[in-house]
């Protein structure tokens, strides 16, 4: 497994194996790799997989929990073999039996990426198949894959007046709590010491504020009066 400090974005890179694949590798460091904006580390892109049967397609699939799930996928490529002048590696990519991208021609020591420009949805399984183009001499490869699942945060955000007021209170009193993000939403991650109202129609409102264990001193801050839904 690789992540930070190998990956500056702290993505988690895990190995994945198949009996239909064989691994290719090369010695490659970050200084040698011509990176793109996605900054996949060299330690990830210096390995690749290719089909055991060089004439067969390279395939992998993504299984969804529900056909309503939405995914974004990024494929990363780097040629790990230094091909001779008369050698080529070129392939097309199909998704669930339909042409999706191609031809892909990996370049030696240069990171390349292709990705879904819109979310993938509507299927329980997404089957990707990489097939050699005509007259190419080497089979397909892939070095790394990123998959992101869209999370639904359909719950409304806290009313902005309440957000502004409680943020001022936090700063004025130097509240030493993990108060980050939205104060009330999602309800499971409501700020410590708060209670909020949820009626399903209107934005959540802060209804109680407990700072009794915060060791506060001094005058009552005017912003408390801005929390108009506080219940006493």
């Amino acid at each position: 497994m690789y992540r930070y400090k190998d990956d500056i974005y702290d993505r988690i890179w895990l190995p994945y194996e198949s009996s239909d694949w064989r691994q290719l590798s090369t010695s490659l460091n970050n200084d040698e790799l011509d990176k793109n904006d996605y900054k996949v580390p060299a330690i990830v892109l210096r390995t690749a997989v290719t089909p055991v049967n060089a004439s067969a397609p390279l395939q992998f699939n993504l299984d969804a929990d529900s056909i309503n799930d939405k995914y974004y996928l990024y494929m990363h490529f780097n040629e790990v073999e230094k091909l001779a002048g008369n050698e080529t590696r070129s392939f097309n990519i199909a998704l669930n039996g339909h042409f999706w991208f191609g031809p892909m021609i990996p370049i030696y020591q240069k990171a390349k990426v292709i990705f879904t420009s819109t979310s993938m949805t509507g299927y329980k399984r997404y089957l990707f198949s990489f097939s050699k183009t005509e007259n190419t001499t080497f089979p397909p490869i892939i070095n790394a894959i990123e998959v992101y699942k869209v999370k639904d945060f359909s719950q409304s955000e806290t009313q902005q007046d309440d957000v502004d007021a409680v943020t001022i209170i936090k700063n004025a009193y130097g509240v030493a709590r993990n108060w980050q993000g939205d104060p009330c939403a999602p309800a499971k991650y409501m700020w410590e010491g708060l209670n909020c109202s949820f009626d399903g129609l209107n934005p959540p409102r802060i209804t109680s504020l407990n700072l009794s264990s915060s060791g506060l001193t001094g005058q009552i801050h005017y912003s408390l009066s801005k929390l108009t839904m506080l219940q006493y």
Side-chain angles (χ1 to χ4, degrees), residues 3-41:
R3 57 183 305 178
Y4 185 81
K5 299 181 179 178
D6 293 308
D7 189 317
I8 63 170
Y9 297 133
D10 198 23
R11 291 165 293 191
I12 299 174
W13 301 96
L14 299 171
Y16 184 84
E17 297 180 354
S18 168
S19 59
D20 295 326
W21 301 348
R22 67 182 181 90
Q23 189 177 94
L24 305 173
S25 62
T26 185
S27 60
L28 180 68
N29 59 50
N30 285 319
D31 292 332
E32 295 170 325
L33 177 64
D34 184 1
K35 292 186 178 181
N36 53 29
D37 291 340
Y38 296 88
K39 294 182 171 57
V40 178

Side-chain angles (χ1 to χ4, degrees), residues 126-138:
Y126 300 90
L127 175 64
F128 290 89
S129 183
F130 299 26
S131 300
K132 294 169 60 176
T133 57
E134 189 176 1
N135 299 324
T136 192
T137 53
F138 278 73

Side-chain angles (χ1 to χ4, degrees), residues 160-170 223-224 226-227:
Q160 191 59 46
D161 289 345
D162 284 7
V163 175
D164 294 341
V166 78
T167 301
I168 292 172
I169 292 167
K170 171 188 174 182
S223 290
L224 285 167
K226 302 294 185 181
L227 297 173

Side-chain angles (χ1 to χ4, degrees), residues 49-65:
V49 294
T50 192
V52 171
N53 179 353
S55 299
L58 173 65
Q59 294 183 322
F60 72 90
N61 59 268
L62 167 66
D63 290 327
D65 297 321

Side-chain angles (χ1 to χ4, degrees), residues 50-186:
T50 192
V52 171
N53 179 353
S55 299
L58 173 65
Q59 294 183 322
F60 72 90
N61 59 268
L62 167 66
D63 290 327
D65 297 321
S66 164
I67 63 171
N68 297 317
D69 288 343
K70 296 180 180 180
Y71 296 92
Y72 287 89
L73 182 139
Y74 297 75
M75 300 181 187
H76 300 282
F77 301 89
N78 165 55
E79 179 58 72
V80 295
E81 297 184 291
K82 199 164 188 177
L83 306 184
N86 61 343
E87 296 174 327
T88 58
R89 191 191 307 275
S90 173
F91 50 92
N92 292 321
I93 303 175
L95 170 56
N96 288 348
H98 300 284
F99 176 83
W100 183 65
F101 183 89
M104 164 56 70
I105 304 174
I107 299 175
Y108 185 66
Q109 294 188 346
K110 181 178 177 65
K112 298 182 72 173
V113 61
I114 58 174
F115 53 88
T116 53
S117 57
T118 58
S119 63
M120 301 188 303
T121 189
Y123 293 90
K124 281 286 288 182
R125 169 167 287 190
Y126 300 90
L127 175 64
F128 290 89
S129 183
F130 299 26
S131 300
K132 294 169 60 176
T133 57
E134 189 176 1
N135 299 324
T136 192
T137 53
F138 278 73
I141 63 169
I142 188 168
N143 304 74
I145 304 165
E146 290 181 80
V147 179
Y148 296 92
K149 182 178 178 180
V150 177
K151 301 288 286 184
D152 181 16
F153 293 105
S154 56
Q155 190 176 69
S156 298
E157 297 178 347
T158 305
Q159 188 183 74
Q160 191 59 46
D161 289 345
D162 284 7
V163 175
D164 294 341
V166 78
T167 301
I168 292 172
I169 292 167
K170 171 188 174 182
N171 294 332
Y173 288 125
V175 177
R177 294 182 178 179
N178 188 23
W179 280 9
Q180 297 181 9
D182 189 277
C184 296

